[in-house]
Amino acid sequence: MDRPVRKEHRLTGYDYSRNGAYFITICTKDKQHYFWDYSKPVGGDAHIAPFVDNINDISTLLPFELSEIGQIVQKYIVSIDGIIKYVIMPNHVHIILKIENDYVPNSGAMWASPPTQSLPKLIRSFKILVTKELGFSPWQRNYYDHIIRSDRELSDIWNYIENNPINWENDELFCKE
């Protein structure tokens, strides 16, 4: 029996460890609403931000508190090196991540160089850490990425993330629970 051919989501031939900014969307399996607690609305000026001092600079206002699962997701999002903006939606997360690998080839001993970060490694580690703490995987198999190529594009994506909770019912990933 022939299996369906999966579409490759990564840009062919692109080195995802290259310095730059990336827009990532990671969805839940079967669009399950795991991350918001709909029984706990919050005020429009409240941040759901208990984990790090500077989280208010990178998180987005939410209309509901995060569920226990959402709080675990947030704990691991804020630990990703290079995170500059994110939002946790009911069934997906959006992240803007900046990779800055400072390694210069032949600049010293191999063991003196920091490990090279790549987008696939960072996302895989994030998904594994969340899955291990939860005891099950809330994630779909893959994720979507977009290479941010200009300041204008970064600004547009930043605004999209910032307004995503307000526009949730019009979002392409919206589905009723």
Side-chain angles (χ1 to χ4, degrees):
M1 174 174 17
D2 291 333
R3 290 188 149 159
V5 176
R6 287 190 179 267
K7 180 182 174 190
E8 179 59 43
H9 291 282
R10 307 291 84 75
L11 186 61
T12 305
Y14 186 81
D15 178 2
Y16 282 90
S17 64
R18 284 179 58 180
N19 289 351
Y22 300 87
F23 174 49
I24 299 115
T25 300
I26 309 170
C27 298
T28 60
K29 191 181 302 182
D30 300 324
K31 297 185 181 179
Q32 290 292 311
H33 288 223
Y34 287 126
F35 304 142
W36 286 4
D37 185 340
Y38 290 103
S39 70
K40 297 180 181 175
V42 295
D45 61 349
H47 273 275
I48 313 303
F51 293 102
V52 297
D53 292 340
N54 68 343
I55 197 168
N56 290 339
D57 296 336
I58 61 172
S59 65
T60 298
L61 300 173
L62 299 178
F64 297 95
E65 287 187 25
L66 294 175
S67 66
E68 288 181 34
I69 294 172
Q71 290 174 31
I72 290 168
V73 168
Q74 180 172 259
K75 177 172 88 171
Y76 290 108
I77 283 178
V78 299
S79 70
I80 298 172
D81 284 339
I83 191 98
I84 59 173
K85 184 72 173 167
Y86 74 92
V87 66
I88 300 171
M89 298 298 292
N91 66 357
H92 65 283
V93 297
H94 292 302
I95 299 169
I96 299 175
L97 178 68
K98 192 170 190 180
I99 292 180
E100 293 178 324
N101 289 312
D102 295 329
Y103 173 69
V104 178
N106 302 319
S107 64
M110 187 163 102
W111 55 85
S113 304
T116 300
Q117 296 295 328
S118 72
L119 187 60
K121 284 181 187 176
L122 291 168
I123 300 304
R124 182 173 48 250
S125 295
F126 164 71
K127 290 170 84 171
I128 287 170
L129 289 167
V130 170
T131 296
K132 283 186 176 184
E133 184 157 339
L134 292 176
F136 72 97
S137 177
W139 308 115
Q140 73 176 20
R141 182 178 179 268
N142 222 324
Y143 63 93
Y144 301 97
D145 68 76
H146 174 78
I147 303 160
I148 301 173
R149 293 185 165 96
S150 70
D151 289 341
R152 165 75 189 214
E153 202 172 12
L154 176 62
S155 177
D156 289 348
I157 292 168
W158 188 284
N159 290 330
Y160 172 77
I161 287 176
E162 191 69 30
N163 293 307
N164 203 217
I166 298 164
N167 297 318
W168 169 229
E169 291 187 5
N170 299 317
D171 190 281
E172 67 183 69
L173 296 173
F174 174 78
C175 65
K176 293 212 181 245
E177 218 179 352

